[in-house]
Amino acid sequence: MTEDKPLSRAERNRLQLRADILQAAFIEFSDRGYHQTAIADIAQRLGIGHGTFYRYFDNKRDILEHVINDTAMQLIALLAAENAPNAVQTLAEYREQCQRIAQRFSEFAYANPKMLRLVLLEATSIDADMTQRVFALINTGGQLTAEYLANGVKHGFLRSDLDTTNTGHAIVGIIMAGMFRLLADPDNTSVLTSYGEACVRLITEGMAKT
Amino acid sequence: MTEDKPLSRAERNRLQLRADILQAAFIEFSDRGYHQTAIADIAQRLGIGHGTFYRYFDNKRDILEHVINDTAMQLIALLAAENAPNAVQTLAEYREQCQRIAQRFSEFAYANPKMLRLVLLEATSIDADMTQRVFALINTGGQLTAEYLANGVKHGFLRSDLDTTNTGHAIVGIIMAGMFRLLADPDNTSVLTSYGEACVRLITEGMAKT
Amino acid sequence: MTEDKPLSRAERNRLQLRADILQAAFIEFSDRGYHQTAIADIAQRLGIGHGTFYRYFDNKRDILEHVINDTAMQLIALLAAENAPNAVQTLAEYREQCQRIAQRFSEFAYANPKMLRLVLLEATSIDADMTQRVFALINTGGQLTAEYLANGVKHGFLRSDLDTTNTGHAIVGIIMAGMFRLLADPDNTSVLTSYGEACVRLITEGMAKT
Amino acid sequence: MTEDKPLSRAERNRLQLRADILQAAFIEFSDRGYHQTAIADIAQRLGIGHGTFYRYFDNKRDILEHVINDTAMQLIALLAAENAPNAVQTLAEYREQCQRIAQRFSEFAYANPKMLRLVLLEATSIDADMTQRVFALINTGGQLTAEYLANGVKHGFLRSDLDTTNTGHAIVGIIMAGMFRLLADPDNTSVLTSYGEACVRLITEGMAKT
DNA sequence: CATGAATGAGCATTCATTCAT
DNA sequence: CATGAATGAATGCTCATTCAT
């Protein structure tokens, strides 16, 4: 059961350094912003010569691409991982799932605020292409959520006339608002708890007096 | 009842030019982005010398400040203008109001996509201060919406246990998601219509099967 | 009889500086070579900021273009100026003219060795386009000389079966060889004198024993 | 009569690789130019690591030196090989020899345009030393040609008052002009034929009407 | 007060060379 | 001995800002 391991020591070092550069770029870009970050900053953070950077990435834009792609994949994974719609059959179960998801998102957001900063705040101001990529990511989130809702409709615990697509996008908006609130006040570790609860009630029950 | 009129012709010209510069900066910043815009671009758009710019604004950051402030004020005004909570007394009236508001927002978004771009996409990547300003703006939106909801609770057509604050923020998130969708696909002039309807139903009735 | 003189003081300064930069670039390029010359070198020679350079020329290649064009025009002018073929009717007159031309070239070469360096040594190693430009210049020289010879044939003091075109190019080669000799040993101020004489005899009489 | 044969297999490989590197450098330098050629280009052409280059040559300048020296030697050999003055005794023989030489040069030029490019176009723009080497090469060509002419004078079929030295340099100029014409238009395979004829007549008979 | 010429800090990128493996 | 990873000096170019006219 030995895997393919043609990774020489040099090879591993190389991959490690590449990962380190990506990591350093991620930190710098999310902390100071893409435009405020010089390649020299990334190199200095790692204690490497800045020429070394160009042995691993074509140019500044190239590494941003990789950083964003990596981050986007993690975000998509987060969204997709929670998408186990068939696990729930009743409204009660569904509500629990929502709370679990909210909890999960909340934890992720607290653990990785830099990712959120990068995608929500920085990536939208590089160029048209990158901005569209962010839009596409958000759109994907909406579609995943919509599938999730469609499942609820199919199982009969969500309104049969629910506009799953648009509602999915709306829910993504709700999540985004939570992220923005966290980013606005990163030290307030409780803000998302009550927000999550309110959101779960909002989307399940609405606001109207019954 | 003549107001103070120490506005000489020169004075008026001066104010006019200042406004023109602001306008030009707004267009450039929202079109090409803050970092991609040179002071010379703004000046050239107006056909003035770029040295003139510095007679009206301290520096590039300064005019961004003004541009953002102006834009923020218009957005706040949009939010506040719709905030006539006492106008509605019943759920039906309230729902109509919601639709009206959605309509209003939609129209505004279609009419002023540059404003949205500027605030949502660009302003968040200048520096920490400006980013906080955007957060504050969004937060203000949430609070205004919350007051609006509180009014609903007071009038008894919204749940008495509604977490107005958090729900207000959630609604702002829903609006933001709509803006993002519009910015992602500016030519699709109908996307917001069905989105508005779905959102109104979501927030009033929730998703659960009754 | 007043000429157009809308040249303000600023305008004149501007033109003067532009000319100065051209001159400085010419000196640096011909002295140290194009690739060895940094824009900063040109600026420093004039005591101006190197950013100023870019107010007058698009980029390094751009100014090379202008420098080469200017130089080429002077060289062409030198060739063309001497081309007064109809001035001579007999072989004796023609020989005198040749000597005069040789003298002129010689003086020019001594006075402007940098021009020769630039065109013959430097310009041929920038890129394909610039190299072709040098070839075109040499070719033009050959053609001008050929016309000059054709005139001699027409007036009957040169061989009627003279291949004027090819011979014209050959004469340009003879001139170029003289330039190379001068550039090889710029301090030897007499080398061209005897060379000129030998060349005149060569082209008029050939080498064969009569 | 055993030669020195300490050439082990490794030794031969070593010498072969050295020759390959020289050859590769020659091609790159003459194709793209010295400044446009990176050491990595040379190494890549051979499929060797670019660190290996430095085991065989001190630095970039060093290999240029060797490349130029090799090329210069071949050019000198070309000049010298044709210099068999005692082979001709009469003007007719001499003229035939001239034509043969022209033919030889022409063939060489068509076969080795890269050599000409390198020496005439590239080598003159490296630094003062290399430029002087090119001048020295041209000068050697002139001297060889002069000896050749001197022989003609001695044998009595060239003018007894012929300035052999200067005329020798002039002839080299004529040859150089032919090379330039070829380099300017490498596809025109006939340009040198008529040029050669015209040149032979020029130097033997001159241009004057007899 | 308007102008635009001048400035230089700042940055992305290249590449010859070194050296540990 | 071959390799290629690492390095940093070098440089072209941009643009916000200042200031003399």
Side-chain angles (χ1 to χ4, degrees):
Chain A
M1 279 276 292
T2 51
E3 316 110 316
D4 49 344
K5 204 184 50 183
L7 288 174
S8 69
R9 191 136 119 61
E11 196 77 20
R12 267 182 296 119
N13 282 341
R14 196 170 161 72
L15 286 173
Q16 182 57 50
L17 180 50
R18 200 193 131 94
D20 288 347
I21 295 175
L22 267 174
Q23 170 74 1
F26 167 70
I27 294 174
E28 295 288 335
F29 286 163
S30 51
D31 275 6
R32 359 170 61 182
Y34 177 77
H35 287 107
Q36 286 72 39
T37 299
I39 296 298
D41 294 327
I42 298 172
Q44 201 166 36
R45 167 173 283 269
L46 294 172
I48 63 174
H50 64 280
T52 306
F53 171 90
Y54 288 92
R55 291 188 53 73
Y56 292 85
F57 297 95
D58 287 345
N59 49 47
K60 193 182 173 183
R61 176 60 209 262
D62 180 42
I63 197 173
L64 175 72
E65 200 95 356
H66 281 92
V67 165
I68 294 285
N69 282 354
D70 282 13
T71 304
M73 274 173 58
Q74 292 197 48
L75 293 177
I76 289 287
L78 177 70
L79 292 169
E82 299 302 344
N83 191 16
N86 31 6
V88 296
Q89 310 274 353
T90 68
L91 189 59
E93 286 175 0
Y94 161 77
R95 189 176 279 126
E96 273 177 30
Q97 190 191 35
C98 275
Q99 284 159 348
R100 226 166 38 235
I101 291 176
Q103 175 70 13
R104 213 51 102 73
F105 265 91
S106 183
E107 283 168 5
F108 181 87
Y110 280 122
N112 305 282
K114 286 188 202 302
M115 283 195 186
L116 306 183
R117 290 199 87 83
L118 188 64
V119 170
L120 291 179
L121 308 186
E122 281 301 319
T124 53
S125 53
I126 311 300
D127 56 32
D129 179 62
M130 190 56 78
T131 306
Q132 280 301 327
R133 300 260 292 274
V134 175
F135 289 154
L137 179 62
I138 294 174
N139 193 52
T140 300
Q143 286 171 345
L144 284 173
T145 308
E147 288 177 26
Y148 180 68
L149 299 180
N151 229 287
V153 173
K154 195 178 76 186
H155 281 73
F157 58 83
L158 294 187
R159 280 193 344 244
S160 59
D161 64 346
L162 183 65
D163 180 344
T164 53
T165 299
N166 279 310
T167 308
H169 289 302
I171 290 177
V172 168
I174 292 173
I175 295 172
M176 280 190 349
M179 292 174 171
F180 272 76
R181 292 185 76 191
L182 173 61
L183 291 177
D185 187 8
D187 298 330
N188 185 339
T189 55
S190 66
V191 62
L192 286 193
T193 310
S194 57
Y195 181 70
E197 289 170 15
C199 291
V200 170
R201 284 206 65 181
L202 174 65
I203 63 180
T204 53
E205 305 170 33
M207 303 186 303
K209 184 175 193 177
T210 47
Chain B
M1 275 282 291
T2 52
E3 316 109 317
D4 47 346
K5 202 185 50 176
L7 288 174
S8 69
R9 187 133 130 54
E11 196 75 22
R12 266 183 296 119
N13 282 343
R14 192 167 167 71
L15 285 173
Q16 182 58 50
L17 180 50
R18 199 192 131 94
D20 289 346
I21 294 175
L22 268 173
Q23 169 75 0
F26 165 71
I27 294 174
E28 295 288 336
F29 286 163
S30 51
D31 274 6
R32 356 170 66 186
Y34 176 77
H35 288 107
Q36 285 72 41
T37 300
I39 296 298
D41 294 325
I42 299 172
Q44 199 169 35
R45 169 173 282 267
L46 293 172
I48 64 172
H50 62 279
T52 308
F53 171 89
Y54 287 92
R55 301 223 153 257
Y56 292 85
F57 297 95
D58 288 345
N59 49 46
K60 192 182 176 182
R61 175 59 209 266
D62 179 43
I63 196 173
L64 175 72
E65 199 96 357
H66 282 91
V67 165
I68 294 286
N69 283 353
D70 282 12
T71 304
M73 276 172 58
Q74 291 197 49
L75 292 176
I76 290 288
L78 176 71
L79 291 168
E82 298 300 344
N83 193 16
N86 29 7
V88 296
Q89 311 275 351
T90 69
L91 189 58
E93 287 175 358
Y94 160 78
R95 188 175 279 125
E96 273 176 32
Q97 189 192 38
C98 273
Q99 285 159 348
R100 228 164 39 236
I101 291 176
Q103 176 70 13
R104 212 49 102 72
F105 265 91
S106 183
E107 283 168 5
F108 180 87
Y110 281 121
N112 305 282
K114 286 188 204 302
M115 283 194 187
L116 305 184
R117 289 200 88 83
L118 189 65
V119 171
L120 291 180
L121 307 186
E122 281 300 319
T124 53
S125 52
I126 310 301
D127 56 32
D129 180 58
M130 189 55 77
T131 307
Q132 280 302 327
R133 302 264 291 278
V134 175
F135 289 153
L137 179 62
I138 294 174
N139 193 52
T140 299
Q143 286 171 346
L144 283 173
T145 308
E147 286 177 26
Y148 179 70
L149 298 180
N151 228 288
V153 173
K154 196 176 74 185
H155 282 72
F157 57 83
L158 294 187
R159 282 196 340 250
S160 60
D161 62 346
L162 183 66
D163 180 344
T164 52
T165 301
N166 279 310
T167 308
H169 288 302
I171 291 178
V172 168
I174 291 172
I175 295 171
M176 279 189 350
M179 293 173 171
F180 272 77
R181 291 185 79 189
L182 173 62
L183 292 177
D185 187 8
D187 298 328
N188 187 337
T189 55
S190 66
V191 62
L192 287 193
T193 310
S194 58
Y195 182 70
E197 289 170 14
C199 291
V200 171
R201 284 206 66 182
L202 175 66
I203 62 180
T204 52
E205 305 170 33
M207 303 186 303
K209 183 175 192 176
T210 47
Chain C
M1 276 277 292
T2 52
E3 316 110 316
D4 50 343
K5 203 184 48 179
L7 288 174
S8 68
R9 192 136 119 59
E11 197 77 21
R12 265 183 297 120
N13 282 340
R14 198 173 159 71
L15 286 173
Q16 182 57 52
L17 180 50
R18 200 192 130 92
D20 288 347
I21 294 175
L22 268 174
Q23 170 74 1
F26 167 70
I27 294 173
E28 294 288 335
F29 287 163
S30 51
D31 274 6
R32 0 169 60 181
Y34 177 76
H35 288 107
Q36 286 73 39
T37 300
I39 296 298
D41 295 327
I42 298 172
Q44 202 166 35
R45 168 173 284 267
L46 293 172
I48 64 173
H50 64 280
T52 306
F53 171 89
Y54 288 94
R55 292 187 54 73
Y56 292 85
F57 297 94
D58 286 344
N59 49 48
K60 192 181 174 183
R61 176 61 207 261
D62 180 42
I63 198 174
L64 175 71
E65 201 94 356
H66 281 91
V67 165
I68 294 285
N69 282 354
D70 282 11
T71 305
M73 275 173 57
Q74 292 198 49
L75 292 177
I76 289 287
L78 176 70
L79 291 168
E82 298 301 343
N83 192 15
N86 32 6
V88 296
Q89 312 273 355
T90 69
L91 189 58
E93 285 175 359
Y94 159 79
R95 188 176 280 125
E96 273 177 30
Q97 188 191 38
C98 275
Q99 285 160 348
R100 224 164 40 235
I101 291 176
Q103 175 71 13
R104 213 49 103 74
F105 265 90
S106 183
E107 282 168 6
F108 181 86
Y110 281 121
N112 305 283
K114 286 189 204 299
M115 283 196 187
L116 306 184
R117 291 198 87 83
L118 189 65
V119 171
L120 291 180
L121 307 186
E122 280 300 318
T124 53
S125 54
I126 311 299
D127 56 32
D129 179 60
M130 190 56 77
T131 306
Q132 280 302 326
R133 300 261 292 276
V134 175
F135 289 154
L137 180 63
I138 294 174
N139 193 52
T140 300
Q143 286 171 347
L144 283 173
T145 309
E147 287 178 27
Y148 178 72
L149 298 181
N151 228 287
V153 173
K154 196 178 76 185
H155 281 74
F157 58 83
L158 294 187
R159 282 198 337 251
S160 59
D161 63 347
L162 184 66
D163 180 345
T164 53
T165 299
N166 280 308
T167 308
H169 289 301
I171 291 177
V172 167
I174 292 174
I175 295 172
M176 279 190 348
M179 293 174 170
F180 272 75
R181 291 185 79 189
L182 172 61
L183 292 178
D185 187 8
D187 299 328
N188 186 338
T189 54
S190 66
V191 62
L192 287 193
T193 310
S194 59
Y195 182 71
E197 288 171 15
C199 291
V200 171
R201 283 205 67 180
L202 173 67
I203 63 180
T204 52
E205 305 171 33
M207 304 186 302
K209 182 173 192 177
T210 49
Chain D
M1 277 275 292
T2 52
E3 317 111 317
D4 47 346
K5 200 185 52 178
L7 286 174
S8 68
R9 191 137 127 53
E11 197 74 23
R12 265 182 297 119
N13 281 343
R14 194 168 165 73
L15 285 174
Q16 182 57 50
L17 180 50
R18 199 191 132 93
D20 288 346
I21 294 175
L22 269 173
Q23 170 74 358
F26 166 69
I27 294 174
E28 294 288 335
F29 286 162
S30 52
D31 274 6
R32 357 170 66 188
Y34 176 76
H35 287 107
Q36 286 73 38
T37 299
I39 295 297
D41 294 326
I42 299 172
Q44 199 169 36
R45 168 173 281 268
L46 294 172
I48 65 173
H50 62 280
T52 307
F53 171 90
Y54 287 91
R55 301 222 151 257
Y56 293 85
F57 298 95
D58 288 345
N59 50 45
K60 192 180 175 183
R61 174 60 210 266
D62 179 43
I63 197 174
L64 176 72
E65 198 95 357
H66 283 90
V67 165
I68 294 286
N69 282 355
D70 283 12
T71 305
M73 275 173 57
Q74 292 196 49
L75 292 176
I76 290 287
L78 177 71
L79 291 168
E82 299 300 344
N83 191 17
N86 30 7
V88 296
Q89 311 276 351
T90 69
L91 188 58
E93 286 175 357
Y94 160 78
R95 188 176 278 126
E96 273 177 32
Q97 188 191 38
C98 275
Q99 285 160 347
R100 225 165 40 236
I101 291 176
Q103 176 70 13
R104 211 53 101 73
F105 265 92
S106 183
E107 283 168 7
F108 180 87
Y110 280 122
N112 306 281
K114 287 189 203 300
M115 284 195 187
L116 305 183
R117 289 199 89 81
L118 189 65
V119 171
L120 290 180
L121 307 186
E122 282 300 320
T124 53
S125 54
I126 311 300
D127 56 32
D129 180 58
M130 188 56 76
T131 306
Q132 279 304 326
R133 302 264 290 279
V134 175
F135 288 153
L137 178 63
I138 294 174
N139 193 52
T140 301
Q143 286 171 346
L144 284 173
T145 309
E147 287 178 25
Y148 180 71
L149 299 181
N151 230 289
V153 173
K154 196 176 76 187
H155 281 72
F157 58 83
L158 294 187
R159 285 197 335 253
S160 60
D161 64 346
L162 183 65
D163 179 344
T164 53
T165 299
N166 279 310
T167 308
H169 289 301
I171 290 177
V172 168
I174 291 173
I175 295 171
M176 279 190 349
M179 293 174 171
F180 272 77
R181 292 184 78 188
L182 173 61
L183 292 178
D185 187 8
D187 299 328
N188 186 337
T189 55
S190 67
V191 62
L192 287 194
T193 310
S194 59
Y195 182 69
E197 289 171 16
C199 291
V200 171
R201 284 206 67 181
L202 174 66
I203 63 180
T204 52
E205 306 171 34
M207 304 186 302
K209 182 174 192 175
T210 48

